[in-house]
Amino acid sequence: MENPISSPSAQSGAQEMGSVWQIQTHTTSPQLGQQRHYRTSAEKVRTGCITCKRRHIKCDEAKPHCSNCLKSRGHCEGYTVGRKKKKPPGPAQVVWDSMQVVCAPQPRMLLRLDPDSLDFRDDAGMRYFSEFVDLVHAPWTTAVSNDDLWAVTMLQLAHGNQTLRYAAIAIGALSKWHSQTKSESLRAVSVPSFPSVEGDTHYFHAVAYYCRSLKLQNQQASLQDAVFLSVLLLFFEALRGNRKAALDHVNHGLALLLILTTDQDAHDHVVKFAPNPKPVVGSVADVFTYLAPQARAVLRGRFGQSPPPLPNLMKRLKDKKQTMESFMVLLSQLPRSSSASDRIPVVFSSLDEFEQFWTPFKRKQIAIGLIMQELIQASKALGSKDKDTVDNFYLELLGSPRITEFCEGSRKVIKALDAAFLPLFNRIMMSDTESPIYLRAIHLRLQHLGMYIFEDPPAFLDMEVLQSRTPLFREYLSLAEVALRTAKRQTKNPAHQLSLQCSLAVYLLSVALHCRDPLVRDQAVWMLKDYPGQDGLLNTHSMYAIALKNRAVEQANAAEGTPAEQLQRLWRREFVFEDGGDRAVFRYIGKDEAAKTWQLVEEAANVQGEAENVDWKRQPLSGSGGPLMADIYSI
């Protein structure tokens, strides 16, 4: 019999940040005056681990990790795989240099690797894996990711596990194909049906490796492999623009995480992951907690006609008496890999130190979704088409005392973090623009500003508050422009601008919708038009089409009424993406010139070709006809 899991308290996030996680390192040095001991000479050993070879000390050659390294340094970089001296004639075997996998920071998570599969079988596989290494170490990827999941953990796993390695090779082959297309944008590339040019062979090699990884997983049925494979295959599908398939992997990954966190034998599953497994699981959970809200707004088919976006997960949540929001809060509370600290310093000394406070704070903000879900379910506006009832719904939701209290607590922490972060940020901005920390600092500042501006629902109820935030909207766009320009300068491969955890495109759309300065809104629209990357499951082309449509809505809305009345009409703007993101549905209050009244309107458009030429067509209201937000939360 399963133990019931109680819903985490949504109100806990309103409290100020208490303990956060940080990494502590310890070094030892010989004391002055100690007698020096000389070691006797010994025969050189060529089979030791990479770390011991570099330090010129004897290795105990324990597998998969040297015990000496684990005891003294907490990390072993593993072993190179050499060739056998006597080998029959045949193609040369290229051995991947594992020293290239290890980045400067030492990994925070120890993993269980398979020592029997630490080699590559062909030259092509090694080359594609090197492409994967370049991809996860690309400036955009390393700047957006807040932990070692991609740059360290996934590389270690993929190098030591055949199933995951095939998935990584598939991603590398797809990245190689993107680099051959000579395109500057991910969304400008269409996948080939057959190899029409020489470079297209990389795409079909990618699909072959992708299928091989799935076949191996089906044969071995490893839960550990399934969790990490869901992340890699999700990345693969996002990279080739197949959002429907990406939704399948989000569905599968979240369902697996539900098993790992709520099943009766969950502990037995988790301990098989790593010596310290919960930080590893928590790092993967961060990816899925970011994508889950997107998955609700990106439908496989049409609204009300297609299955729910995450069918397996929803069924399991119902069986566990959980909701999506309570499960997200549960995942956000998984312990991570750093130790606790109880106060924000006066000035942060490094970006790593800032992230030790910022990342746990971001996770706590997930609790606001649970509060909103409870308020929506208690509302009388569900399914209601009455204008006054729906207007009161938005007032009661965004101005709820629980939401207000939560946001006030968040603002206090954000301001304290801002005061300690700005001196460090300004110092980095005056340094080398080609330094890896330059782009990383900008992304952290964008996350910080985005949380303050866009994740504060009560601010959207008051026109004066929105107008007062215009300088912040401008700052956000300026930093976003610098980030995109820097990334474009540092890489020519469009695949290097994919991220599963970047909010930049979403926030650009928010500026285009909510800023009260029309010039700033227009700047955000044009930045969306030229946006080169792909953020998670969202189709940035469809987002640009919505931003363009909103310009006409804003123009008509500004022609009548007081500022307060105009803002109240703008509350009713909502959107959802159908057909895997290729069809945009936009709902707003429009003027019926014949009846001389303002009415709720819903229009949809298939977003193909140039967004400026998209044909928006009016259609009956989707769902219950009430607030679209309420229908989405009820899925």
Side-chain angles (χ1 to χ4, degrees):
M1 182 176 179
E2 292 180 346
N3 295 325
I5 304 297
S6 58
S7 298
S9 170
Q11 300 187 44
S12 61
Q15 301 172 355
E16 293 192 21
M17 183 169 61
S19 61
V20 299
W21 304 95
Q22 65 180 7
I23 303 170
Q24 294 181 345
T25 58
H26 302 279
T27 58
T28 58
S29 58
Q31 299 294 323
L32 293 174
Q34 275 189 336
Q35 182 179 358
R36 185 174 180 182
H37 296 280
Y38 294 89
R39 61 182 180 181
T40 57
S41 61
E43 183 181 354
K44 281 196 173 183
V45 177
R46 303 289 182 184
T47 56
C49 73
I50 296 170
T51 311
C52 287
K53 284 181 179 180
R54 184 185 296 120
R55 299 175 66 202
H56 304 290
I57 63 174
K58 182 173 176 58
C59 178
D60 67 2
E61 301 185 37
K63 301 292 180 65
H65 298 291
C66 163
S67 301
N68 290 343
C69 292
L70 293 179
K71 289 177 182 177
S72 63
R73 300 169 64 85
H75 164 61
C76 174
E77 297 174 25
Y79 298 82
T80 55
V81 182
R83 302 179 188 177
K84 295 180 180 180
K85 292 183 179 180
K86 294 182 180 180
K87 187 175 181 181
Q93 181 187 16
V94 179
V95 180
W96 174 71
D97 180 8
S98 63
M99 293 178 68
Q100 298 301 316
V101 168
V102 183
C103 62
Q106 293 189 1
R108 307 171 192 176
M109 296 170 282
L110 293 176
L111 304 167
R112 298 193 191 280
L113 302 181
D114 177 8
D116 297 325
S117 60
L118 294 175
D119 64 328
F120 290 86
R121 303 302 181 189
D122 56 72
D123 293 3
M126 192 281 290
R127 288 196 299 270
Y128 287 143
F129 193 89
S130 295
E131 285 283 341
F132 175 71
V133 173
D134 291 342
L135 177 60
V136 298
H137 281 125
W140 194 264
T141 306
T142 54
V144 172
S145 178
N146 293 129
D147 56 30
D148 294 329
L149 177 63
W150 291 103
V152 176
T153 307
M154 282 300 183
L155 287 180
Q156 286 187 343
L157 285 168
H159 186 228
N161 180 292
Q162 194 174 37
T163 302
L164 302 180
R165 189 188 313 131
Y166 281 141
I169 292 173
I171 293 172
L174 197 57
S175 176
K176 182 66 175 178
W177 171 71
H178 273 290
S179 70
Q180 300 288 314
T181 62
K182 306 302 181 183
S183 172
E184 295 183 356
S185 170
L186 275 176
R187 72 185 185 197
V189 180
S190 57
V191 299
S193 301
F194 56 89
S196 57
V197 296
E198 183 179 356
D200 287 346
T201 57
H202 299 301
Y203 173 80
F204 293 99
H205 288 162
V207 174
Y209 280 113
Y210 175 96
C211 295
R212 203 175 298 177
S213 69
L214 284 174
K215 181 179 179 181
L216 276 180
Q217 174 59 23
N218 290 334
Q219 292 172 348
Q220 298 172 359
S222 163
L223 182 60
Q224 177 188 0
D225 291 356
V227 171
F228 291 108
L229 188 62
S230 65
V231 180
L232 289 170
L233 298 187
L234 164 61
F235 192 99
F236 178 92
E237 296 294 3
L239 190 56
R240 71 167 173 171
N242 190 341
R243 283 172 290 276
K244 292 182 181 180
L247 279 170
D248 291 334
H249 293 303
V250 174
N251 178 42
H252 187 57
L254 284 169
L256 292 172
L257 287 173
L258 185 64
I259 293 172
L260 289 172
T261 53
T262 64
D263 270 18
Q264 186 176 5
D265 53 353
H267 176 74
D268 296 335
H269 293 312
V270 171
V271 294
K272 296 177 182 178
F273 271 68
N276 185 19
K278 288 189 176 180
V280 181
V281 178
S283 188
V284 173
D286 283 343
V287 175
F288 288 103
T289 51
Y290 175 75
L291 293 175
Q294 291 186 11
R296 279 185 153 175
V298 181
L299 308 178
R300 285 182 175 82
R302 302 298 171 87
F303 196 97
Q305 301 175 15
S306 62
L310 306 171
N312 293 354
L313 174 67
M314 293 304 181
K315 182 179 182 301
R316 289 180 178 272
L317 286 173
K318 186 177 180 181
D319 294 340
K320 299 287 185 181
K321 296 181 172 56
Q322 292 266 353
T323 65
M324 172 75 86
E325 284 65 38
S326 66
F327 178 45
M328 293 299 102
V329 174
L330 182 64
L331 291 180
S332 73
Q333 294 173 345
L334 288 172
R336 265 59 177 189
S337 57
S338 46
S339 56
S341 176
D342 59 358
R343 66 173 59 185
I344 298 173
V346 176
V347 176
F348 289 114
S349 60
S350 67
L351 296 181
D352 286 339
E353 185 183 19
F354 172 69
E355 284 191 287
Q356 291 165 15
F357 290 83
W358 173 245
T359 303
F361 172 72
K362 279 200 310 179
R363 293 183 184 121
K364 287 188 176 183
Q365 303 314 293
I366 292 173
I368 197 172
L370 183 55
I371 299 176
M372 295 187 73
Q373 182 212 26
E374 293 171 355
L375 292 172
I376 289 172
Q377 289 180 341
S379 172
K380 298 178 181 178
L382 292 176
S384 174
K385 299 180 183 180
D386 179 70
K387 179 181 179 302
D388 292 337
T389 302
V390 175
D391 286 344
N392 287 333
F393 163 76
Y394 286 103
L395 284 170
E396 293 171 358
L397 177 65
L398 303 183
S400 160
R402 293 176 63 191
I403 294 289
T404 301
E405 180 185 2
F406 185 96
C407 292
E408 286 176 352
S410 297
R411 282 195 295 269
K412 291 179 181 178
V413 179
I414 290 176
K415 288 179 179 178
L417 289 169
D418 185 60
F421 178 61
L422 270 179
L424 171 65
F425 175 76
N426 291 332
R427 188 167 68 249
I428 293 175
M429 290 301 98
M430 298 298 292
S431 65
D432 181 11
T433 59
E434 299 302 318
S435 169
I437 67 170
Y438 183 83
L439 187 58
R440 183 181 167 202
I442 293 176
H443 270 286
L444 286 171
R445 179 64 178 163
L446 286 169
Q447 292 176 27
H448 184 267
L449 271 177
M451 182 74 72
Y452 184 79
I453 301 171
F454 307 112
E455 309 299 330
D456 187 8
F460 294 89
L461 290 174
D462 192 315
M463 179 66 84
E464 290 185 2
V465 173
L466 278 177
Q467 290 173 336
S468 70
R469 293 193 171 186
T470 299
L472 293 176
F473 286 116
R474 288 199 187 100
E475 182 183 356
Y476 188 89
L477 293 187
S478 297
L479 283 173
E481 193 170 7
V482 173
L484 292 171
R485 189 168 59 245
T486 303
K488 183 178 181 180
R489 186 174 65 250
Q490 292 181 352
T491 179
K492 300 302 180 183
N493 186 346
H496 289 188
Q497 298 194 49
L498 168 68
S499 172
L500 298 182
Q501 296 173 272
C502 182
S503 301
L504 185 52
V506 175
Y507 286 158
L508 287 178
L509 180 58
S510 293
V511 175
L513 292 175
H514 299 297
C515 181
R516 293 301 87 212
D517 185 327
L519 294 178
V520 178
R521 288 201 304 269
D522 280 352
Q523 184 183 353
V525 172
W526 304 133
M527 289 179 69
L528 269 177
K529 176 184 179 181
D530 298 326
Y531 195 75
Q534 176 71 33
D535 293 352
L537 304 173
L538 299 177
N539 183 342
T540 54
H541 201 47
S542 295
M543 296 167 72
Y544 170 54
I546 288 175
L548 272 181
K549 178 64 180 177
N550 181 70
R551 293 181 74 206
V553 172
E554 289 271 9
Q555 185 177 7
N557 184 67
E560 183 178 316
T562 65
E565 290 171 340
Q566 293 170 9
L567 182 61
Q568 197 166 5
R569 287 195 293 265
L570 293 177
W571 291 347
R572 299 300 306 274
R573 292 173 302 177
E574 296 179 285
F575 58 87
V576 69
F577 302 106
E578 298 178 332
D579 297 342
D582 294 332
R583 188 170 190 266
V585 177
F586 189 42
R587 187 182 287 185
Y588 60 93
I589 296 290
K591 182 69 175 288
D592 186 333
E593 295 298 340
K596 302 298 182 182
T597 58
W598 293 90
Q599 297 179 354
L600 186 63
V601 175
E602 181 172 300
E603 296 186 6
N606 293 316
V607 185
Q608 297 174 352
E610 296 296 329
E612 291 84 352
N613 301 323
V614 162
D615 184 19
W616 288 91
K617 295 182 178 180
R618 186 169 297 196
Q619 65 181 28
L621 299 179
S622 302
S624 65
L628 195 57
M629 179 195 304
D631 289 334
I632 291 175
Y633 267 82
S634 65
I635 293 178

